[in-house]
Amino acid sequence: MRTKIFKITKENSEKVLTKASLIIKNGGLVVFPTETVYGLGANIFNEKALKNIFIAKGRPADNPIIIHISKKEQIKKLTNGISLVEKKLMDAFWPGPFTLILKKKKDISDIVSGGLSTIAVRMPAYTFAHRLIELSAVPIAAPSANSSGRPSGTSGRNILKELSGKVDMIIDDGLSPIGLESTVVKVNKNNVLILRPGAITKEMIEKVVFPLPVLSAKNKKDLESSPGTKYRHYAPKVKLEIVSKDKMAKRVEILKKQKSKIGIITTLQNKKFFKNFEPNVFILGDEKKLTEISRNLYRALRFFDTKKVDIILCQSFSKKGIGVAIMDRLERASSKIIDNV
Ligand code: TXA
Ligand code: MG
């Protein structure tokens, strides 16, 4: 398959998105930008197209896909009804980087839900994503645009190698502003469960659902209800270790003795300590601005794909605000977390 690649601008957006919407309507696959990460989209009502998503990504069939909508009325096509708490959450966080698990209507394909009785639904805020769904006139099923297990695509360019030839079209709009996938949330009878942390934080959700408690899925049973979380994820091609800032120098010393070739992921504040490691250093940004760190995280992991290093050491971050999501992804991507050198 020949993949059409378009750099989207304000001027050409209607033309590009109309083309893309025709592809979606006709059962093709389109990679498109959202505020979180890029999505690999297909028409929710076309089973063949849904199957092709799994083929293009090499994704396990039991890992369900998020359904993207452009207006709230569309949930009527997907679910038979929502609770008051679910409504409150939609009103607070849609459009935005927030995904809600809802009961699935019978006529929605089991392919999209991975055989579960529930579906995941999100309304993106990103103008081009919103307009693509609108023009397609159907909800768009879209996992993150990347080969299964790899870091999610956060720019059209960084996923070209992985997905060209496997999808009909890639719409490139540069780097995704958030850079990490949406927060995935399920409302239970007695609590609200965060299945995947993201830019909409626990504290933000607590304010909306009070007095219901908000929990983070940690135990096996919780996580089994979100199949995606059981797979190794976001992995760079070489080994990754997360090291607290103060242990970094000591860990480097040990690895050097072992003659390991080291790649470093760190922040502007610590750049000066790693001058000798150039060009195998990636600076995520200002450590006081966690949104900068999150935006660049997957780009950093992919940066080392083409570097000849044996191991990547990445500085750890405080688990506050979006820091929870940053550390969640780093822990999933890593083979080792170093607390004690
Ligand atoms: O920001 C995002 O959410 C991006 C953009 C493209 O919207 N999408 C994304 O999709 O990250 P994906 O497929 O890479 O991750 C979907 C996550 C998986 O962890 C999956 O297990 C979970 O959502 N999920 C989907 N349907 C579910 C369901 N019915 N119940 C529980 N978890 C579900
Ligand atoms: Mg994904």
Side-chain angles (χ1 to χ4, degrees):
M1 170 191 305
R2 242 195 90 221
T3 304
K4 294 190 193 80
I5 299 159
F6 289 95
K7 183 94 197 148
I8 196 167
T9 61
K10 259 195 198 130
E11 289 69 39
N12 73 7
S13 68
E14 268 309 286
K15 219 171 138 192
V16 170
L17 295 173
T18 303
K19 259 192 198 152
S21 69
L22 288 175
I23 294 175
I24 297 277
K25 280 181 190 165
N26 293 326
L29 300 181
V30 175
V31 169
F32 62 98
T34 86
E35 70 273 34
T36 55
V37 298
Y38 278 64
L40 198 173
N43 180 348
I44 172 90
F45 298 119
N46 185 319
E47 289 224 332
K48 180 109 201 303
L50 294 175
K51 280 186 189 153
N52 284 338
I53 292 181
F54 287 83
I55 295 170
K57 286 196 57 152
R59 184 175 173 105
D62 70 345
N63 192 358
I65 294 176
I66 296 176
I67 304 170
H68 297 69
I69 58 173
S70 59
K71 42 182 190 288
K72 284 191 191 135
E73 293 92 90
Q74 283 176 312
I75 57 169
K76 289 187 195 137
K77 289 187 191 161
L78 307 173
T79 185
N80 284 322
I82 54 167
S83 69
L84 189 64
V85 178
E86 286 163 348
K87 181 173 183 315
K88 273 191 188 174
L89 288 166
M90 287 174 190
D91 289 344
F93 301 124
W94 277 359
F98 183 78
T99 297
L100 207 49
I101 305 298
L102 300 170
K103 280 247 155 58
K104 174 174 99 76
K105 245 190 175 173
K106 272 209 185 75
D107 38 326
I108 300 300
S109 170
D110 278 340
I111 298 172
V112 82
S113 65
L116 298 174
S117 60
T118 53
I119 43 168
V121 187
R122 159 161 127 82
M123 188 194 291
Y126 207 68
T127 321
F128 296 144
H130 204 272
R131 185 71 182 138
L132 174 64
I133 304 164
E134 208 165 56
L135 288 168
S136 302
V138 285
I140 295 182
S144 53
N146 52 276
S147 290
S148 197
R150 295 271 296 140
S152 298
T154 49
S155 81
R157 230 178 66 187
N158 69 22
I159 40 180
L160 266 188
K161 240 206 212 146
E162 245 163 81
L163 294 178
S164 61
K166 296 182 179 165
V167 299
D168 297 280
M169 185 169 171
I170 295 177
I171 302 171
D172 186 5
D173 191 28
L175 204 57
S176 312
I178 295 174
L180 294 178
E181 307 81 357
S182 61
T183 309
V184 179
V185 164
K186 189 174 184 193
V187 177
N188 295 319
K189 223 191 213 157
N190 300 316
N191 60 53
V192 172
L193 192 61
I194 300 179
L195 293 171
R196 180 176 71 183
I200 302 295
T201 61
K202 185 164 182 260
E203 294 71 26
M204 292 158 82
I205 298 168
E206 272 164 351
K207 279 197 189 125
V208 175
V209 303
F210 183 83
L212 264 188
V214 180
L215 312 176
S216 299
K218 287 225 166 61
N219 63 52
K220 206 160 160 269
K221 195 171 151 272
D222 288 344
L223 291 174
E224 265 164 12
S225 70
S226 188
T229 53
K230 78 181 177 208
Y231 295 105
R232 179 150 191 246
H233 258 85
Y234 322 117
K237 288 185 177 160
V238 290
K239 210 162 125 185
L240 171 78
E241 279 185 13
I242 313 167
V243 190
S244 62
K245 193 170 146 180
D246 51 322
K247 304 268 166 61
M248 204 100 159
K250 204 165 168 202
R251 185 69 188 142
V252 162
E253 242 175 72
I254 294 172
L255 288 168
K256 264 188 170 167
K257 272 187 200 142
Q258 295 169 1
K259 304 244 177 327
S260 295
K261 204 145 187 256
I262 308 165
I264 300 283
I265 302 179
T266 187
T267 57
L268 271 178
Q269 281 82 351
N270 296 316
K271 190 177 166 185
K272 54 183 179 290
F273 302 119
F274 299 104
K275 281 229 157 65
N276 294 343
F277 291 82
E278 293 286 355
N280 295 328
V281 180
F282 191 100
I283 305 299
L284 287 170
D286 183 338
E287 67 187 24
K288 293 203 190 80
K289 296 181 187 151
L290 286 182
T291 50
E292 232 172 69
I293 306 294
S294 81
R295 188 177 311 136
N296 289 313
L297 191 67
Y298 289 151
R299 208 155 67 92
L301 297 182
R302 283 172 183 277
F303 170 80
F304 288 100
D305 286 350
T306 53
K307 301 276 180 266
K308 291 203 167 56
V309 297
D310 307 313
I311 187 161
I312 308 167
L313 295 188
C314 178
Q315 181 183 324
S316 62
F317 296 91
S318 74
K319 291 186 180 174
K320 283 201 193 111
I322 198 172
V324 176
I326 293 172
M327 286 305 289
D328 170 74
R329 304 312 192 274
L330 274 176
E331 284 167 14
R332 284 174 201 284
S334 75
S335 29
K336 207 169 186 181
I337 301 165
I338 304 287
D339 274 331
N340 266 313
V341 190

